[in-house]
Amino acid sequence: MSMRKIKNISIILFMALGIVACTKDFLELQPLTDRVEDNFYKTEKDAFEAVVSIYDVLQWQTGGGYHPWDLVSNILSDDAFAGGSGPGDRPGLVRMGKLSNFVTDEEPLGIWKDRFSGIYRANLFLSKVDGVDFKTEGLKTRLTAEARFLRGYFYFELVQFYGNVPLILKPLAPSEYQQSAADPADVYNQIASDLYYAYQNLPATITAAEKGRASKWAAGALLARVYLFHKGYGKGVLNITTDLKADDKTFTETDIETIIDDIVENSGHGLVANYANLWGVDNENNNESIFEIQHTQKADWGDWGWRNGTEGNWAVVMTGFRGVEDPIYESGWSFQPASQSLADEFEPGDSRYSVSILDAAAESLVYKPENCYQHTGYAFKKFYPRKADRPATNDALNWPYNRPVIRFADVLLMGAELYLDNNLGKAQDYYSRVRKRAFGDAHVAPTLTNDQAGLDLIYHERRVEFAGEGLRYWDLLRRGLTYAETKINAAAGASPLDETFSSATKGLLPIPQTEITLSGNKLKQNAGY
């Protein structure tokens, strides 16, 4: 079964600290079903449903405020502003655009809670898996690898957003609830350990019936992303002095290049010939997609009272302009208007522009700019709400557009970046493949050089290739705080388009004050807040 068709109905979770823990009293109440923790985790079906419950957290976007990962990441970068109907419409997102969040804002708390919910579910499964009666060869290993992949995924997002987080690898007893932040180096190493295990143990092929489940290629690609972020931001900003490690293995650049080459040569994934054919409901889970989060119009899960129970992609309705009158496009809430800086980044003849950017003037789109805060006239088109896809029920909550996490193009450009300093020929090949898809087979790509100019070309390519997909901010941070500040501040204009970067924060969000309080003040607030 696919991940999007299954909801976990087997585990009842009760959170403490916004992080962890089923309470004893809760489990001693008369159960609403006969399946509770004490008699669960017995069969293969139990184990599968438990892992599906971890995948389910990938869809969560509203644990506090509204915080789709790609939307938040875009707002933090030079690619978009906060938007909305005015400065009082989700003010936590408006403050996030200036790295000036209050420590009590909903969005930083929601991001924190949702990721730790996924980690808790993964830890619970891993603590119980040895008690399951497995009869299918290899199933225990696969499910364990999936749980570890997802735990690594959630921890990577946490350490990116907050830098300093507790490292929790088991369900905690009440006496253990008050946790301090771990050394970021230890968190990165645990992420690498989880992902490397997954790379070694997940299947290479995901069938159509299993779409949405992680493959070894997804684990390898995410490990490469972690390596590059650790190398650039972890060492350069957080002052991590050790190399990335997975248990007793220390990763060299050659190790990561080998993984990249393995994906390129053996995964069966490749570039979709036409960039436009990457997007839309009919093109989901295509051959270029290495891992994507599944969303659906299924309307009988969740509502406004249980927003994280919905199956849809919240970034969609948040992206649309307000007051749209158009036969193709729908109205939305006008968040994350794309910046002029991003629109200007596209070169003449780049086929990705009209696919990635909805240019209201160019398309003669009728809407109400006076109701759109930080209005630019540009929106992200890849996930813009379209009338043909409008959900029949709870339309704001259930837009069915999947969110790509890692595409084959990203693997190629990571490979180009890695090879830039030791194999310019291979770097050029990987880079040129992405360029030719955008400009045509006759296109001659710029020549990469082993210096900052070569790196600039790759970063330019990454910006336009992944416009709206949430990668830009983390790419900026990889090149250092001064670089990020220069680029983000250059994209800011006169008020209200005055979103600027605060180096004092190191590019991090604040630790939610409620979590500091619940930790008995063992957690310490990030600098700049």
Side-chain angles (χ1 to χ4, degrees):
M1 290 186 173
S2 70
M3 289 298 104
R4 72 161 54 190
K5 292 183 181 290
I6 306 171
K7 271 282 192 177
N8 172 60
I9 57 172
S10 306
I11 306 170
I12 302 173
L13 302 172
F14 194 81
M15 298 291 295
L17 280 180
I19 298 175
V20 289
C22 272
T23 66
K24 184 173 182 291
D25 289 342
F26 182 74
L27 292 177
E28 287 181 344
L29 295 176
Q30 182 67 31
L32 297 178
T33 92
D34 61 356
R35 305 174 76 195
V36 293
E37 184 178 341
D38 286 344
N39 60 21
F40 197 66
Y41 300 102
K42 302 298 182 184
T43 68
E44 291 182 348
K45 182 174 182 291
D46 293 343
F48 176 69
E49 290 182 353
V51 170
V52 171
S53 79
I54 313 170
Y55 277 101
D56 183 51
V57 179
L58 293 172
Q59 298 175 331
W60 292 9
Q61 304 154 88
T62 62
Y66 306 145
H67 51 79
W69 180 88
D70 48 344
L71 180 143
V72 167
S73 299
N74 291 332
I75 289 171
L76 286 166
S77 78
D78 55 352
D79 280 356
F81 303 107
S85 63
D89 189 358
R90 304 315 317 167
L93 290 177
V94 174
R95 285 188 283 271
M96 192 176 289
K98 304 178 184 182
L99 283 173
S100 63
N101 276 109
F102 298 159
V103 297
T104 55
D105 276 340
E106 287 187 302
E107 282 76 16
L109 176 60
I111 293 168
W112 177 283
K113 286 170 59 179
D114 286 357
R115 274 70 186 167
F116 271 116
S117 294
I119 290 165
Y120 169 73
R121 293 184 177 194
N123 286 340
L124 183 60
F125 171 81
L126 292 169
S127 74
K128 299 287 188 179
V129 67
D130 286 342
V132 175
D133 181 18
F134 284 100
K135 301 183 184 299
T136 303
E137 183 179 358
L139 182 58
K140 177 181 179 181
T141 298
R142 180 181 184 181
L143 294 179
T144 298
E146 286 181 284
R148 293 192 65 174
F149 169 84
L150 291 166
R151 183 171 67 181
Y153 178 98
F154 290 127
Y155 257 122
F156 183 46
E157 290 191 346
L158 280 169
V159 80
Q160 284 183 299
F161 278 121
Y162 303 98
N164 304 286
V165 298
L167 182 57
I168 301 170
L169 302 177
K170 64 177 184 177
L172 300 180
S175 61
E176 300 172 301
Y177 286 170
Q178 294 184 340
Q179 293 280 319
S180 303
D183 184 332
D186 293 336
V187 180
Y188 276 102
N189 289 344
Q190 181 59 49
I191 294 167
S193 178
D194 282 341
L195 294 180
Y196 192 56
Y197 179 90
Y199 175 67
Q200 293 175 305
N201 290 285
L202 285 175
T205 301
I206 302 297
T207 67
E210 297 177 321
K211 59 186 179 182
R213 297 181 74 172
S215 68
K216 71 171 295 178
W217 314 118
L222 186 56
L223 179 57
R225 183 179 289 175
V226 171
Y227 176 87
L228 285 169
F229 197 77
H230 176 273
K231 174 186 175 183
Y233 180 82
K235 289 184 173 182
V237 178
L238 297 184
N239 298 317
I240 295 173
T241 59
T242 55
D243 291 334
L244 189 67
K245 299 176 66 174
D247 302 317
D248 58 352
K249 178 177 178 57
T250 299
F251 289 102
T252 66
E253 194 157 296
T254 299
D255 292 325
I256 304 302
E257 289 167 350
T258 299
I259 290 173
I260 291 288
D261 290 345
D262 191 19
I263 298 169
V264 172
E265 296 166 9
N266 300 312
S267 71
H269 290 288
L271 294 176
V272 170
N274 186 343
Y275 188 79
N277 291 340
L278 286 166
W279 316 106
V281 175
D282 293 339
N283 295 318
E284 292 174 345
N285 300 298
N286 54 69
N287 190 51
E288 186 166 333
S289 174
I290 294 177
F291 187 67
E292 65 185 71
I293 294 173
Q294 310 293 301
H295 291 287
T296 181
Q297 294 187 14
K298 190 174 179 63
D300 54 349
W301 293 99
D303 52 29
W304 285 104
W306 181 35
R307 294 171 300 182
N308 264 345
T310 60
E311 297 280 306
N313 185 343
W314 282 67
V316 177
V317 69
M318 294 183 75
T319 296
F321 290 120
R322 290 175 179 265
V324 170
E325 298 177 15
D326 190 84
I328 297 174
Y329 300 115
E330 274 286 4
S331 294
W333 300 345
S334 71
F335 286 92
Q336 65 164 357
S339 67
Q340 184 72 52
S341 170
L342 174 60
D344 292 344
E345 186 86 9
F346 288 86
E347 302 161 65
D350 191 335
S351 64
R352 293 169 294 196
Y353 177 79
S354 62
V355 177
S356 303
I357 304 295
L358 177 57
D359 184 333
E363 298 200 27
S364 300
L365 184 70
V366 177
Y367 68 110
K368 295 182 178 179
E370 68 273 14
N371 295 336
C372 301
Y373 181 57
Q374 297 181 318
H375 165 68
T376 65
Y378 301 110
F380 292 116
K381 195 172 183 178
K382 293 171 181 174
F383 314 108
Y384 196 96
R386 289 167 169 79
K387 291 185 183 299
D389 302 318
R390 181 173 180 171
T393 306
N394 285 338
D395 59 325
L397 314 183
N398 287 299
W399 286 93
Y401 305 153
N402 287 357
R403 178 171 76 79
V405 175
I406 302 176
R407 296 195 278 114
F408 188 77
D410 193 6
V411 173
L412 290 175
L413 291 177
M414 287 192 290
E417 184 174 342
L418 286 161
Y419 277 117
L420 197 62
D421 61 359
N422 60 54
N423 189 334
L424 274 175
K426 181 166 280 191
Q428 186 72 47
D429 174 47
Y430 284 178
Y431 166 74
S432 296
R433 292 194 207 184
V434 179
R435 295 278 303 184
K436 286 180 180 294
R437 198 254 301 269
F439 290 92
D441 289 341
H443 173 72
V444 178
T447 301
L448 294 179
T449 51
N450 179 16
D451 53 18
Q452 290 300 306
L455 196 58
D456 286 343
L457 287 172
I458 292 172
Y459 268 62
H460 160 77
E461 200 62 26
R462 291 185 63 82
R463 189 181 190 191
V464 294
E465 174 70 25
F466 307 118
E469 297 175 54
L471 299 185
R472 173 66 172 175
Y473 184 63
W474 313 111
D475 284 347
L476 293 175
L477 290 183
R478 289 197 292 117
R479 294 188 73 175
L481 299 181
T482 299
Y483 185 89
E485 182 173 25
T486 300
K487 292 294 185 180
I488 292 173
N489 290 1
S495 181
L497 304 182
D498 58 352
E499 295 187 356
T500 52
F501 185 80
S502 171
S503 292
T505 67
K506 297 184 178 180
L508 301 172
L509 297 182
I511 306 295
Q513 184 58 48
T514 54
E515 303 307 305
I516 293 175
T517 301
L518 288 168
S519 75
N521 293 315
K522 288 186 175 182
L523 287 174
K524 305 302 180 184
Q525 187 55 263
N526 281 334
Y529 293 100

